[in-house]
Amino acid sequence: MDKTFDAKTAETRIYDGWEETGAFRAGANAKPGAEAFSVVIPPPNVTGSLHMGHAFNNTLQDILVRWHRMRGHDTLWQPGTDHAGIATQMVTEREMAANGEPSRREMGRDAFLERVWEQKIKSRGTIIGQLKRLGASCDWSREAFTMSGAPNAPEGEDGNFHDAVIRVFVDMYEKGLIYRGKRLVNWDPHFETAISDLEVENVETQGQMWHFKYPLADGRTYTYVEKDEDGTVLFEEERDYISIATTRPETMLGDGAVAVHPSDSRYAPIVGAFCEIPVGPKEHRRLIPIITDEYPDPDFGSGAVKITGAHDFNDYAVAKRGGIPCYRLMDMGAQMRADGAAYAEAAETAMAVARGETTLSESEVDAINLVPDDLRGHDRFEARRRVVEQITEEGLAVMVPAHDPRLGKKAARKAQPEEGGTPPEEALVPLIEEKLIMQPFGDRSKVVIEPMLTDQWFVDAEAVVGPALEAVRDGTVEILPERDKKVYFHWLENIEPWCISRQLWWGHQIPVWHTPGFGDEWRSFCAATEEEALQQMHATFGDDAEFIMVEDEAAATEMLAGYFQNMTDTTGVDQRRRPQAIPVFRDPDVLDTWFSSGLWPIGTLGWPEDTEELKRYFPTSVLITGFDIIFFWVARMMMMQYAVVGERPFDTVYVHALVRDEKGKKMSKSLGNVLDPLDLIEEYGADAVRFTLAAMAAMGRDLKLSKDRIAGYRNFGTKLWNACRFAEMNGVFEGREASATPPQARETVNRWIIGETARVRETVDEALEGYRFNDAANTLYSFVWGVVCDWYVEFSKPLFDKDPEVVAETRATMGWVLDQCMVLLHPFMPFVTEELWGLSAKRDGMLVHADWPDYRAADLIDAEAETEMRWVIALIEGTRSARTQMRVPVGLYAPMLVADLGEKERGAWDRNADLIKRLARIERLDEVESFPRGTVTIPVGATSFGLPLEGLIDVGEEIARLEKARGKLEKEANGLRGRLKNPKFVESAPEEVVEETQANLVARDEDLAAIDAALARLKEIG
RNA sequence: GGGCGGUUAGCUCAGCUGGUAGAGCGCUUCGUUUACACCGAAGAUGUCGGGGGUUCGAAUCCCUCACCGCCCACCA
């Protein structure tokens, strides 16, 4: 054997070996009739690459999976990747741009999809390969993909995940759980798609709040009165305007009303009146009503709120309640709209609506573009600048003295007087408050999200959330750690409709076909296939109806232009003449990625087919996932599995925390503090990385990763390696018949280590049962290093020089103990252990399929051996400590004295003399009446050993040493004595605790007596 | 504004249902002992964030304050 394990070359070889033998196949190594254990991998993005979070997540899964597999359970670790709509489309488009390929729009939808599939196939191997490097023991023959079997999927991408998704959509649609509607949604202007609430990151940003005057219509005035709580008038003035604050002046153009709280007496006189939006061409100023609504907070700002239903979620709610029209101001790229009629005409129409002269349908309102001609086509931020400028120029900004505390520094600076101007205190400046505002950003695009009024598809989440909540409440599904349950509940109890449509191309296209309905709305048919949709259309429009598939809504509209013109003077719906062929187009939107990954547990097991795997492995056993996707994924899987198959997706959810850098910062590319797991694997080996992650995985706590730590655990692997190397050199592995059952041993040392091993096996199992990965890892670490290597290997050395019988027994024991180390460590460090397994005996199979032990500590612990070995260790440690402090040369074998050797101790000494002498560097043991001058005393239990070091020791040094030890002992003894003297303690503490305390006190007193005797002797000399 | 975590040795963290403060790294000294220098031996280091309370006994339970972090939230 080499001195170290060469992870670099061995790991791939070993992994290939596992794969070739099908070691990870579902059910591999299962005992007949074994219970099932199944885990679905949180599917990484197909174009992604492995980051620390993945490494952590998959290490934990692999530990559990390997552990169960070795225990003979019917184990499946289901792997796969996610098509990751936005991310993948983004990655592909970026690469296309870099390659100078035509853009997505230039190539068209079909060609683009083909291109993304190429990208998918190309990059899939990256993350899969990385997972393999980590050692993940997934059943790769079952690798799934969330878009497998999609209609445009190329050869080799078959599978039926797409069928499952479509089937669920259709089913939920038919049950009324999915609906379409024009709603205000979070719009990502970069990707030009709607996103869900969860994909919005609210970030505190420095912003400004402007205050503007909305003049009252027709020169109307009112007395504005501010009172305090007691009704005392604080301020009173005659006003011809209402003051409005806004952080988004550009949206004023779309205002539909001004709202005040119904109880707000300041504005009571003008409720119902009209005011003017102070922007846009003077001659076409729009008037909007002043309405009441519960929403405005009278204590905030002026208490009056402008209502822009199409660009603000609160305003939208107010608008809905008050029947206020929502005027959309921006296009899909969040530029100010440039479509439709000129401003004059649009404003006129809007005025008519405001006056109540006409009512328009939603889409008619949407068609109105209220952006003044000079602002059309501008970016929203540019439009804001201009709007502010125009209003301020017109004198309609609220002005305040330059010293107003609400003003930011900028405004104050502006107020510096020009030559001969007004002194600063009296100068009036526009009221622009600098303040922190929560600004929404797209989590992928990092662009400011715009609330946008669009047609979208929604899941009625509230209708399906019930069982998902109930299951966790009643314990059907366990979420660990406890605290994450609360997070889960909080979100689900306040669930909002889930916007599932995305205006992307890469994804599951919504299985809905639209035809012209009646009026200007489209009529929709939802079906799994186009044929089925057509059947439905025939059923509706008549068997003789003729349909023609067209590209999109625009094409259909064009076809129908003539038709609708003909219809304008027709009244009754049924009398309408149909066009020759009715245009039909498929809904262009695709589904939110999480809609499909929400089906991951059943989808990967073959649903909607009634497969054997579903029967065996569903519901899955445990889901291991990061806290950041509890809402995105865990909650959705819960809702959807219950909605679709009426069953929980998993029994337990183990939520783990984030991997941070060594300073506790979240790893991010922009901070440059990312540790790439692949680099670390390259440098330290996969086992070290895995063990580090496991050892640091205290439940629910973030873990901070440093290279030092990984190096430490790499060394741990080497340590085990070298213990085996030692064994090999001592013939342990020679012609060996490895056995899983512990050998019968006579030597104390061997009996002791067998018991210790059994104890560790129990602790590890208990820890893993409780998902306490760190406890399991640390237990193994301290056992292998601190017990097996530090003591057992050392103890064995003299045994290998004894008679053949002892040598044989020791070889058998050491072989067994090392085997157990390999077995128990295998889930954590699969590579080194597998390698050692192969090197240490001729075996029937690989370690990956070895039997996990079930021996019990109670059966294997030999209490006498344990007591004896503890005594031996204490003696050796005490001697070594004394020697070092007395500066006894390391190489010197010193004689040892003992004065009062008891019966038991004599036996212990006799049985272990060889190894004590060797490890404590003792020449011989002499029994004496009393210690001579200059003897260093080593108390071990009731016995005092001594090192006669006359002339060698520094008396002062030894007195200091003993007094230090004495001080510590005395402090402890006094503490114990104090407790025992307290009658309340003796009364109320449990009996064992009292007994233990007494025993401890006796032990301390014995040691103290020995030390006192030694001190007395030394002082004689001194 | 709500909620949840954290504060223990120089650093990073363990300490489950209250019963003599622990680990790893780092540090100091020593070491060519026939597995291992990715090693061995021996050490040093803590008013367990502050303040109250419950208890015979609190790092551990309760209250409160401070600071740090995270999540959620519609204050224009």
Side-chain angles (χ1 to χ4, degrees):
Chain A
M1 281 174 76
D2 293 331
K3 273 197 170 183
T4 54
F5 170 60
D6 181 9
K8 223 175 244 182
T9 59
E11 286 179 353
T12 19
R13 187 190 76 235
I14 294 167
Y15 198 93
D16 290 347
W18 288 328
E19 281 213 283
E20 277 159 25
T21 53
F24 306 150
R25 282 281 173 80
N29 201 42
K31 297 203 170 96
E35 58 185 288
F37 179 79
S38 55
V39 176
V40 290
I41 200 170
N45 289 359
V46 67
T47 53
S49 57
L50 200 77
H51 60 239
M52 227 48 232
H54 292 126
F56 184 35
N57 176 255
N58 288 290
T59 295
L60 300 185
Q61 290 178 78
D62 197 45
I63 289 170
L64 290 182
V65 166
R66 285 179 185 268
W67 176 52
H68 280 277
R69 191 186 291 119
M70 289 170 87
R71 294 206 292 173
H73 296 165
D74 179 359
T75 306
L76 165 66
W77 185 6
Q78 172 63 52
T81 52
D82 192 293
H83 71 275
I86 291 187
T88 303
Q89 183 161 324
M90 183 173 83
V91 167
T92 310
E93 288 196 83
R94 198 184 293 149
E95 187 169 305
M96 285 160 59
N99 293 346
E101 294 169 59
S103 77
R104 162 168 78 101
R105 291 188 200 285
E106 281 162 0
M107 60 169 60
R109 188 162 183 149
D110 288 342
F112 177 70
L113 287 178
E114 211 173 292
R115 178 66 183 75
V116 184
W117 274 107
E118 269 172 39
Q119 189 80 22
K120 181 261 166 184
I121 290 161
K122 198 177 74 182
S123 42
R124 175 212 84 121
T126 306
I127 190 129
I128 302 293
Q130 290 171 328
L131 285 168
K132 291 182 178 180
R133 287 292 310 274
L134 225 211
S137 63
C138 305
D139 182 353
W140 297 109
S141 69
R142 299 186 46 79
E143 185 187 335
F145 180 55
T146 54
M147 252 173 70
S148 70
N152 39 29
E155 197 119 343
E157 295 290 340
D158 38 1
N160 68 345
F161 211 99
H162 177 76
D163 298 345
V165 173
I166 296 303
R167 167 101 175 238
V168 168
F169 185 98
V170 173
D171 184 51
M172 290 178 85
Y173 180 92
E174 281 166 1
K175 289 181 182 153
L177 297 170
I178 287 180
Y179 57 88
R180 184 168 189 260
K182 202 183 258 311
R183 299 289 139 89
L184 201 59
V185 294
N186 299 296
W187 187 266
D188 186 316
H190 175 76
F191 292 116
E192 302 198 8
T193 177
I195 57 178
S196 74
D197 301 347
L198 290 176
E199 289 159 283
V200 177
E201 282 172 358
N202 289 301
V203 181
E204 202 166 64
T205 318
Q206 187 57 238
Q208 293 167 312
M209 189 160 81
W210 289 266
H211 292 70
F212 298 129
K213 296 174 176 175
Y214 279 43
L216 294 181
D218 312 317
R220 186 164 165 184
T221 63
Y222 67 110
T223 313
Y224 175 86
V225 185
E226 261 175 33
K227 293 179 188 161
D228 67 8
E229 287 154 13
D230 308 325
T232 319
V233 174
L234 298 173
F235 178 82
E236 190 175 329
E237 80 176 353
E238 201 67 3
R239 281 188 180 174
D240 59 356
Y241 68 90
I242 183 164
S243 172
I244 304 283
T246 180
T247 54
R248 303 204 49 200
E250 73 279 13
T251 65
M252 289 169 65
L253 301 164
D255 286 353
V258 165
V260 298
H261 196 271
S263 70
D264 195 335
S265 59
R266 293 170 297 180
Y267 302 112
I270 51 170
V271 167
F274 279 79
C275 62
E276 176 188 314
I277 301 173
V279 68
K282 201 85 182 124
E283 60 281 18
H284 301 297
R285 283 285 157 88
R286 279 171 53 215
L287 296 180
I288 52 174
I290 297 168
I291 62 164
T292 60
D293 191 277
E294 297 289 330
Y295 162 63
D297 174 0
D299 296 326
F300 186 86
S302 69
V305 185
K306 66 189 214 55
I307 300 301
T308 319
H311 289 283
D312 182 282
F313 286 96
N314 292 310
D315 294 5
Y316 182 68
V318 175
K320 281 281 150 195
R321 284 196 288 271
I324 305 298
C326 300
Y327 298 113
R328 186 168 59 81
L329 296 169
M330 296 173 207
D331 65 16
M332 298 310 150
Q335 309 271 10
M336 304 311 284
R337 284 172 67 172
D339 63 329
Y343 179 75
E345 190 185 320
E348 194 49 51
T349 316
M351 280 299 297
V353 174
R355 286 191 297 260
E357 291 162 10
T358 59
T359 38
L360 300 176
S361 72
E362 262 186 1
S363 48
E364 282 166 330
V365 170
D366 193 63
I368 298 172
N369 176 1
L370 287 172
V371 179
D373 302 327
D374 64 320
L375 293 176
R376 292 190 175 192
H378 281 108
D379 176 81
R380 52 190 159 155
F381 301 107
E382 170 63 12
R384 175 181 306 174
R385 200 184 58 75
R386 292 192 183 211
V387 165
V388 170
E389 195 178 274
Q390 288 172 18
I391 299 174
T392 310
E393 263 171 30
E394 199 179 318
L396 287 171
V398 172
M399 304 297 279
V400 292
H403 55 74
D404 190 294
R406 290 172 292 177
L407 287 171
K409 283 177 197 146
K410 257 192 216 161
R413 219 179 302 122
K414 260 194 192 159
Q416 285 301 320
E418 290 164 32
E419 287 289 316
T422 335
E425 311 83 62
E426 291 162 37
L428 290 177
V429 294
L431 176 51
I432 304 170
E433 290 180 59
E434 302 270 336
K435 61 182 290 185
L436 290 171
I437 50 175
M438 275 300 196
Q439 198 149 37
F441 291 87
D443 65 352
R444 290 229 105 88
S445 67
K446 307 295 175 198
V447 146
V448 178
I449 292 305
E450 187 64 43
M452 196 77 86
L453 204 48
T454 50
D455 279 310
Q456 301 293 342
W457 291 91
F458 296 88
V459 167
D460 184 358
E462 215 181 326
V464 294
V465 78
L469 272 169
E470 200 41 46
V472 177
R473 283 204 191 106
D474 70 16
T476 306
V477 174
E478 181 66 56
I479 297 182
L480 295 170
E482 192 72 19
R483 112 171 89 92
D484 287 295
K485 247 181 236 178
K486 289 188 201 161
V487 179
Y488 175 87
F489 285 139
H490 180 260
W491 190 67
L492 287 189
E493 279 161 2
N494 298 290
I495 193 108
E496 295 283 325
W498 171 18
C499 175
I500 50 168
S501 44
R502 297 289 179 277
Q503 287 63 50
L504 304 170
W505 287 353
W506 176 244
H508 296 280
Q509 192 170 356
I510 286 172
V512 170
W513 285 260
H514 303 285
T515 68
F518 307 116
D520 63 351
E521 299 296 336
W522 294 92
R523 179 150 189 162
S524 305
F525 298 87
C526 175
T529 60
E530 192 176 301
E531 292 69 46
E532 283 172 39
L534 282 169
Q535 279 172 23
Q536 290 181 24
M537 292 175 207
H538 280 295
T540 306
F541 291 90
D543 288 339
D544 56 335
E546 220 182 285
F547 298 97
I548 180 162
M549 282 293 158
V550 300
E551 187 69 11
D552 54 17
E553 182 170 7
T557 310
E558 198 178 325
M559 261 187 79
L560 289 168
Y563 166 65
F564 278 124
Q565 271 164 23
N566 292 341
M567 289 302 107
T568 44
D569 51 4
T570 311
T571 48
V573 172
D574 294 332
Q575 280 76 46
R576 292 186 178 191
R577 181 176 55 81
R578 282 203 303 266
Q580 288 300 84
I582 304 172
V584 177
F585 68 94
R586 179 159 181 185
D587 196 295
D589 290 354
V590 300
L591 287 166
D592 179 9
T593 299
W594 298 102
F595 187 90
S596 48
S597 33
L599 298 166
W600 191 242
I602 49 171
T604 50
L605 294 174
W607 192 88
E609 308 291 320
D610 185 21
T611 62
E612 192 55 38
E613 285 84 350
L614 270 172
K615 286 194 202 99
R616 271 163 74 190
Y617 300 117
F618 186 83
T620 63
S621 309
V622 57
L623 178 79
I624 304 228
T625 189
F627 75 93
D628 51 334
I629 53 175
I630 295 180
F631 306 144
F632 277 113
W633 195 46
V634 180
R636 261 86 177 259
M637 280 193 283
M638 288 288 284
M639 290 193 284
M640 292 184 77
Q641 254 59 209
Y642 274 111
V644 175
V645 291
E647 178 58 281
R648 67 190 184 281
F650 23 68
D651 300 332
T652 302
V653 182
Y654 174 87
V655 179
H656 64 250
L658 219 62
V659 182
R660 297 171 181 277
D661 75 0
E662 51 199 314
K663 295 192 190 89
K665 287 245 166 69
K666 190 171 167 174
M667 289 190 187
S668 76
K669 276 186 195 153
S670 52
L671 284 173
N673 61 348
V674 181
L675 279 181
D676 182 340
L678 270 297
D679 291 347
L680 295 173
I681 289 172
E682 201 63 34
E683 193 173 351
Y684 300 102
D687 292 326
V689 174
R690 292 168 57 113
F691 201 88
T692 308
L693 292 168
M696 300 184 74
M699 201 185 287
R701 293 271 317 242
D702 285 348
L703 57 99
K704 293 176 192 151
L705 203 57
S706 79
K707 284 193 162 194
D708 285 346
R709 197 77 187 242
I710 303 170
Y713 289 119
R714 185 265 326 267
N715 298 352
F716 173 57
T718 308
K719 189 75 184 174
L720 173 70
W721 180 268
N722 277 290
C724 291
R725 195 158 156 260
F726 170 81
E728 187 201 36
M729 294 166 96
N730 284 284
V732 171
F733 303 148
E734 237 170 71
R736 170 168 182 242
E737 294 223 0
S739 165
T741 42
Q744 289 294 322
R746 295 181 53 218
E747 292 291 320
T748 318
V749 168
N750 289 332
R751 296 209 315 274
W752 162 74
I753 195 66
I754 290 168
E756 292 290 306
T757 308
R759 198 197 301 278
V760 164
R761 187 243 106 201
E762 282 191 359
T763 311
V764 168
D765 274 338
E766 278 163 24
L768 287 178
E769 303 281 2
Y771 301 96
R772 285 179 286 111
F773 297 94
N774 57 327
D775 285 349
N778 291 327
T779 300
L780 286 164
Y781 183 93
S782 49
F783 175 65
V784 171
W785 199 313
V787 179
V788 174
C789 293
D790 287 350
W791 293 109
Y792 181 63
V793 168
E794 295 304 326
F795 289 161
S796 74
K797 286 175 182 173
L799 297 183
F800 284 123
D801 294 333
K802 295 206 169 174
D803 58 81
E805 217 171 294
V806 174
V807 172
E809 176 192 304
T810 306
R811 281 181 179 160
T813 307
M814 181 169 284
W816 180 80
V817 168
L818 289 173
D819 276 3
Q820 299 312 303
C821 292
M822 295 170 209
V823 169
L824 295 173
L825 274 171
H826 183 260
F828 299 85
M829 308 186 110
F831 294 105
V832 223
T833 51
E834 185 70 81
E835 182 79 343
L836 287 169
W837 190 254
L839 290 170
S840 56
K842 286 240 177 300
R843 316 264 189 184
D844 294 337
M846 286 192 288
L847 177 57
V848 68
H849 284 175
D851 285 336
W852 188 265
D854 56 3
Y855 42 71
R856 298 185 317 159
D859 298 335
L860 295 182
I861 286 179
D862 179 329
E864 271 177 43
E866 189 170 295
T867 313
E868 186 165 313
M869 293 322 292
R870 283 192 184 158
W871 182 84
V872 168
I873 289 172
L875 172 56
I876 294 168
E877 284 184 332
T879 309
R880 293 211 280 222
S881 181
R883 288 177 62 119
T884 308
Q885 282 178 65
M886 290 303 110
R887 302 182 207 286
V888 178
V890 176
L892 178 79
Y893 275 76
M896 180 170 257
L897 307 177
V898 63
D900 48 356
L901 199 59
E903 196 64 26
K904 258 190 159 174
E905 286 76 13
R906 186 186 307 279
W909 175 275
D910 288 346
R911 278 187 294 275
N912 301 286
D914 284 347
L915 55 93
I916 298 170
K917 285 181 184 167
R918 183 190 178 104
L919 296 178
R921 314 217 133 210
I922 299 302
E923 192 199 357
R924 60 174 195 279
L925 181 71
D926 294 334
E927 293 196 40
V928 293
E929 283 297 309
S930 64
F931 291 162
R933 292 158 50 102
T935 298
V936 172
T937 306
I938 301 151
V940 182
T943 313
S944 284
F945 289 85
L947 292 173
L949 297 170
E950 169 101 76
L952 280 171
I953 65 160
D954 177 331
V955 174
E957 186 103 20
E958 172 65 352
I959 290 177
R961 180 184 82 97
L962 290 176
E963 287 200 317
K964 191 179 171 193
R966 191 182 192 289
K968 200 179 165 199
L969 278 169
E970 189 157 40
K971 200 178 143 199
E972 285 171 7
N974 285 341
L976 296 168
R977 222 185 310 275
R979 258 200 274 170
L980 287 164
K981 268 190 198 152
N982 183 341
K984 282 188 181 169
F985 170 70
V986 184
E987 269 167 43
S988 43
E991 211 169 312
E992 313 108 62
V993 174
V994 177
E995 278 168 19
E996 199 188 321
T997 311
Q998 274 162 344
N1000 281 335
L1001 181 59
V1002 169
R1004 294 297 181 288
D1005 282 340
E1006 280 174 358
D1007 283 2
L1008 273 173
I1011 287 179
D1012 283 338
L1015 278 170
R1017 277 193 306 278
L1018 284 166
K1019 282 177 182 157
E1020 278 168 31
I1021 317 170

